[in-house]
Amino acid sequence: MSVIIPVRNEARNFPRCLESLRGVGEVYVVDSHSTDETVDIAHSYGAKVIQFDYQGGWPKKRQWAMDTLQLTYDWILMVDADEALTPQLADEILRAIQDQRFEGYYIDLRMYFLGRELRHGGVNLQKLSLFRRGKGHFECRLKDQDISMCDIEVHEHMVVQGEAAKLRNPLLHHNYESLSRFIQKHNEYSNWEAQVLLKLQPSIEDLVPSLFGNQAQRRRWLKTKLFRVLGSPVLLFLYRYFFRAGFLDGAPGLIYCGFQAVQMFHTKAKMYELSARKD
């Protein structure tokens, strides 16, 4: 199996991720000229490091890696530096890729934030992280992107040609970044999302929003509807923190739910700014 890890200044997160991948297959680290010890850590685990220079446009980092790297194996596992496999998940993956019925697999993401597992607030996601080479691609929701929008796919989803199943064991997401870096990254995400939601240019959305589709389709449908509602950032916070019981996760749950609402507010404010400029 070929593992692709997109990175930029991930020294705090990286050792846990790479340690969990020992014996899984070849590991490619696609770096954006990190200024910390990220590359040295990757080399210490025997990973192959490739530099990515983003100048805007499409493809972004993950799709570029899939299109460019000389991968040895027929299956690709796409993980982030702040994610880690459990031994149970690693074993399940090695069994799953022997099954000829499926072209991809969804994996649950178990979220840890500020040192605590978040069990509530509707934060846990499913990611199509494992797929057969040549059968998967990221949808392009915004073609004319620039460097202010981050060099990696934000909420573009992986789409596979063929049947996909779901694995039982979760992928662990440990966020060891400072809150300052967390806010910085999500500022870039909101630059991208404001453009997408305003639909200032044509997009290709392979993942059609649908209330009755899979988890990703439902979340996209709900987001599209919610953004049109007055006061939607406040409603999002109330939904996550009270209705989905985010308060049971203590202070980390409060901070995470608050950040999600602020992220929506930033996106809506940038949508207003873009509309005003257009007028």
Side-chain angles (χ1 to χ4, degrees):
M1 182 172 61
S2 299
V3 182
I4 298 175
I5 313 173
V7 299
R8 181 178 60 181
N9 293 332
E10 294 285 359
R12 296 184 66 185
N13 290 313
F14 216 12
R16 177 191 290 269
C17 175
L18 292 170
E19 186 65 35
S20 76
L21 292 168
R22 286 189 184 274
V24 171
E26 66 177 356
V27 176
Y28 276 94
V29 172
V30 186
D31 182 46
S32 297
H33 300 283
S34 292
T35 56
D36 63 4
E37 296 80 25
T38 294
V39 171
D40 292 335
I41 293 171
H43 285 312
S44 72
Y45 281 88
K48 305 172 185 178
V49 179
I50 307 295
Q51 292 297 333
F52 175 62
D53 295 284
Y54 185 61
Q55 303 299 322
W58 184 263
K60 285 194 162 186
K61 188 183 290 186
R62 293 187 179 102
Q63 186 63 50
W64 176 87
M66 291 162 51
D67 294 341
T68 305
L69 300 179
Q70 299 297 312
L71 303 177
T72 303
Y73 300 102
D74 290 332
W75 281 84
I76 298 173
L77 176 65
M78 189 79 66
V79 298
D80 293 334
D82 54 6
E83 297 171 349
L85 280 65
T86 64
Q88 294 81 7
L89 176 59
D91 290 341
E92 186 179 10
I93 287 174
L94 294 177
R95 293 194 304 271
I97 61 178
Q98 305 302 319
D99 194 329
Q100 298 300 314
R101 295 175 297 170
F102 303 112
E103 307 296 347
Y105 291 94
Y106 290 93
I107 304 176
D108 286 331
L109 194 65
R110 182 175 294 171
M111 180 78 70
Y112 290 81
F113 184 72
L114 293 177
R116 177 167 180 165
E117 180 183 353
L118 299 183
R119 297 177 177 271
H120 309 281
V123 303
N124 291 319
L125 307 173
Q126 294 176 5
K127 294 178 60 177
L128 209 164
S129 300
L130 178 65
F131 49 93
R132 198 184 301 273
R133 179 160 54 92
K135 294 293 185 178
H137 70 275
F138 282 92
E139 57 179 350
C140 176
R141 300 183 67 195
L142 188 66
K143 188 172 183 179
D144 295 331
Q145 305 183 57
D146 59 57
I147 58 175
S148 75
M149 300 178 190
C150 190
D151 68 352
I152 197 168
E153 295 82 356
V154 181
H155 295 301
E156 291 100 339
H157 286 274
M158 169 61 63
V159 179
V160 296
Q161 303 167 9
E163 292 293 321
K166 180 177 174 297
L167 300 183
R168 293 188 303 273
N169 292 286
L171 185 66
L172 307 183
H173 178 99
H174 285 269
N175 186 356
Y176 288 123
E177 296 176 337
S178 67
L179 292 183
S180 176
R181 177 112 192 276
F182 183 89
I183 292 168
Q184 178 185 9
K185 288 171 65 174
H186 283 76
N187 179 52
E188 295 176 342
Y189 297 167
S190 63
N191 290 339
W192 173 89
E193 193 162 43
Q195 291 268 2
V196 170
L197 292 172
L198 270 179
K199 296 188 181 300
L200 295 178
Q201 55 179 285
S203 64
I204 302 173
E205 296 194 31
D206 295 300
L207 195 76
V208 179
S210 173
L211 180 61
F212 303 104
N214 59 34
Q215 185 197 57
Q217 290 175 300
R218 291 195 302 273
R219 291 175 68 90
R220 184 168 293 178
W221 185 89
L222 289 168
K223 177 176 284 189
T224 301
K225 301 299 182 184
L226 186 58
F227 263 87
R228 299 174 183 173
V229 177
L230 184 66
S232 52
V234 175
L235 295 176
L236 178 64
F237 175 79
L238 295 175
Y239 170 76
R240 286 189 177 276
Y241 192 66
F242 291 105
F243 185 77
R244 296 301 300 271
F247 61 88
L248 294 177
D249 289 324
L254 172 62
I255 294 169
Y256 189 86
C257 292
F259 275 177
Q260 293 296 299
V262 169
Q263 173 80 5
M264 176 176 278
F265 179 79
H266 286 170
T267 301
K268 293 192 71 167
K270 290 176 182 180
M271 291 170 67
Y272 176 82
E273 179 187 37
L274 289 169
S275 296
R277 288 178 180 174
K278 186 178 179 181
D279 295 340

